[in-house]
Amino acid sequence: MTVAGGAGSAQAPPGQRRVLAALALAQFICSFAGSNMNVMINDISRDLDTTVQGVQVAITVFLLVMAALMIPGGKLTDRYGRKRCFVTGLVVYAVGALLSAAAPGLGVLILGNSILEGVGTALLIPPVYILTTLLYPDLTSRARAFGIIMALGGIGAAAGPLIGGLITTGISWRAAFVFQALVIAVIVWLSRRIEDPLPPDPARSFDTAGAVLSAVGLVLVVMGILAADNNIWLTIVLIGLGVFVLAWFLRSMGAKERAGQEPLLSLGLFRNRTSNLGLVTQNVQWLILMGTSFTVAAYLQVVRGYDAIQTGVIFTAATLGLLLTSLSAERLARRYPQRTLIMTGFVASVAGVAVLVALAGAFSTAWAFVPGLVLIGLGLGVMLTPSVNVVQSSFPEEQQGEISGLSRSVSNLGSSFGTAIAGTILVSGLSKGAYAAAMITLGVIGLGGLAAGALLPRTPDATAPAGDTPARTPRRRP
């Protein structure tokens, strides 16, 4: 099968719609898993005899495992093939979901949901982005494909509270994990039509030491943030150790490159200024989405006493906003530069945070949350796809495994940061003041994302730096 790359290969291969459906559903269920537990906080706490902070740890560890293992997961696709990693990840994920459904305590829930589902996600998500980049050659068709995938991903994260609330209220929080396993079964069936555009390379080396260093460093940083509400000195020590380990990781990557060995992550990826800025915007976008989801869901349930379904219904506002703009990604990509879309998205999202804080503080009705959530959803939907497109299109075919793993790791690290930072502020004092402080923190970080977006090149031609081959005109590897 010829990789869709040249001018004469614009024709979609047979069964590509079913393939795109499988890839989009995979992104949906992984994003859903990161947010649906937010509306189960009270139910899980009572059933498993734990606390709000215990549930927050389970959610954050799931997001953290994804972030820590996404780079190794992307690298493994080169060695074992994209389809094999994708299907293996689906199976591991399904086992974790079923184990979570039967969990007798928080420890087993963390094993099933946080560990196994996290590992499964790290294996299956990089192939989603690699396959999409290879199968859709030009900017417009790739924007449409990524638009569908990111729309399903964003909807999974935004609608997770609603779907989770309906299942929790109608059946049980355990049934939400059974639902995930059923969706995985559908994805496995759809993935039968997937054909790997590139053959696997079993002789490809894998940097185990680098994988361990990167994972340990990321875990230490996020655990340090989680410890902030209990012991500030422990936070400083953990974050300091995490930064040290990550610096060690980068130093070892450079040493291996100079020695002619293949590192886990090529430092050359960070020499692309456009990609670096795109990665920053991805990180901040998911930080805002997951931070808002956890903070608002916890506040509505613990402070205002809403049940799971009421909380989920309120989040429908963000889902509708995100759906509206995400599904317009192809049309927007034809009319506006990526930079414009990303900046517009951040402006709308930050404005949404401000509206959310102002109205929720002034009114006791649930409707006070709707305008802000709609704005946040609209803003995120506008910029999720352009940010992915900017990063993936900055590199040639040969580096898609590495950049896809790095891209997804950075995004999921943003999700971890969002839940850890906002959640830590919130659980330290569940009151209006803590809620406002958490949301304002997200808004300030959003301004940083806006600044990164403003530094992106103004024209698509600037996406790939001099000397790099744009991914939209890849070469077929022999």
Side-chain angles (χ1 to χ4, degrees), residues 268-289:
L269 295 177
F270 297 105
R271 299 190 186 104
N272 187 312
R273 180 175 179 271
T274 299
S275 173
N276 290 342
L277 292 169
L279 289 172
V280 171
T281 64
Q282 284 186 28
N283 181 276
V284 177
Q285 289 161 15
W286 285 96
L287 186 152
I288 293 173
L289 177 56

Side-chain angles (χ1 to χ4, degrees), residues 121 158 229 276 312 341 418:
T121 301
D229 63 318
N276 290 342
L341 295 176

Side-chain angles (χ1 to χ4, degrees), residues 132-159:
T132 303
T133 302
L134 296 177
L135 293 174
Y136 294 89
D138 61 279
L139 188 65
T140 301
S141 67
R142 188 180 301 153
R144 177 179 177 274
F146 275 131
I148 293 172
I149 291 171
M150 297 311 297
L152 266 292
I155 290 168

Side-chain angles (χ1 to χ4, degrees), residues 93-444:
Y93 188 106
V95 171
L98 293 175
L99 184 60
S100 300
L106 182 62
V108 177
L109 179 66
I110 289 177
L111 174 61
N113 173 250
S114 307
I115 306 300
L116 290 180
E117 287 192 24
V119 170
T121 301
L123 286 172
L124 71 91
I125 286 298
V128 169
Y129 290 82
I130 298 169
L131 290 168
T132 303
T133 302
L134 296 177
L135 293 174
Y136 294 89
D138 61 279
L139 188 65
T140 301
S141 67
R142 188 180 301 153
R144 177 179 177 274
F146 275 131
I148 293 172
I149 291 171
M150 297 311 297
L152 266 292
I155 290 168
L162 174 60
I163 300 172
L166 290 170
I167 296 174
T168 299
T169 303
I171 308 175
S172 162
W173 64 268
R174 298 178 185 276
F177 289 102
V178 177
F179 167 76
Q180 293 179 45
L182 292 174
V183 174
I184 291 295
V186 173
I187 299 171
V188 171
W189 180 77
L190 289 172
S191 65
R192 296 176 305 157
R193 294 290 187 91
I194 293 178
E195 294 182 30
D196 208 331
L198 296 174
D201 184 3
R204 195 83 175 257
S205 62
F206 181 76
D207 184 4
T208 304
V212 172
L213 286 175
S214 65
V216 170
L218 293 175
V219 168
L220 286 171
V221 170
V222 176
M223 294 308 290
I225 296 173
L226 287 173
D229 63 318
N230 291 323
N231 189 324
I232 189 63
W233 291 111
L234 179 60
T235 291
I236 294 173
V237 170
L238 289 174
I239 292 178
L241 284 173
V243 171
F244 172 77
V245 173
L246 289 174
W248 183 9
F249 164 70
L250 293 175
R251 184 180 178 85
S252 69
M253 295 302 99
K256 288 180 180 178
E257 280 190 309
R258 288 190 295 272
Q261 301 173 0
E262 183 176 358
L264 178 72
L265 188 68
S266 172
L267 297 187
L269 295 177
F270 297 105
R271 299 190 186 104
N272 187 312
R273 180 175 179 271
T274 299
S275 173
N276 290 342
L277 292 169
L279 289 172
V280 171
T281 64
Q282 284 186 28
N283 181 276
V284 177
Q285 289 161 15
W286 285 96
L287 186 152
I288 293 173
L289 177 56
M290 299 307 294
T292 298
S293 178
F294 180 84
T295 304
V296 176
Y299 177 78
L300 290 174
Q301 292 174 90
V302 179
V303 177
R304 295 205 172 180
Y306 289 13
D307 61 25
I309 194 168
Q310 289 172 322
T311 303
V313 168
I314 292 173
F315 268 96
T316 305
T319 306
L320 292 175
L322 197 149
L323 178 63
L324 179 64
T325 46
S326 289
L327 294 182
S328 302
E330 180 182 14
R331 178 169 52 84
L332 292 172
R334 286 198 301 263
R335 298 182 62 181
Y336 304 103
Q338 311 275 16
R339 174 179 179 271
T340 300
L341 295 176
I342 292 171
M343 290 182 64
T344 301
F346 274 117
V347 169
S349 297
V350 172
V353 170
V355 171
L356 195 61
V357 172
L359 294 184
F363 302 97
S364 60
T365 174
W367 288 104
F369 290 83
V370 172
L373 288 174
V374 168
L375 274 174
I376 293 172
L378 288 170
L380 290 169
V382 164
M383 61 182 169
L384 284 174
T385 297
S387 288
V388 171
N389 231 340
V390 162
V391 174
Q392 297 290 147
S393 299
S394 295
F395 296 92
E397 171 191 299
E398 291 79 6
Q399 291 181 290
Q400 285 302 308
E402 283 185 296
I403 191 57
S404 181
L406 177 61
S407 173
R408 294 304 88 210
S409 179
V410 166
S411 295
N412 283 293
L413 190 60
S415 297
S416 300
F417 283 157
T419 304
I421 294 172
T424 297
I425 295 172
L426 195 62
V427 299
S428 66
L430 292 175
S431 64
K432 287 185 178 180
Y435 160 79
M439 293 306 301
I440 289 171
T441 301
L442 296 178
V444 171

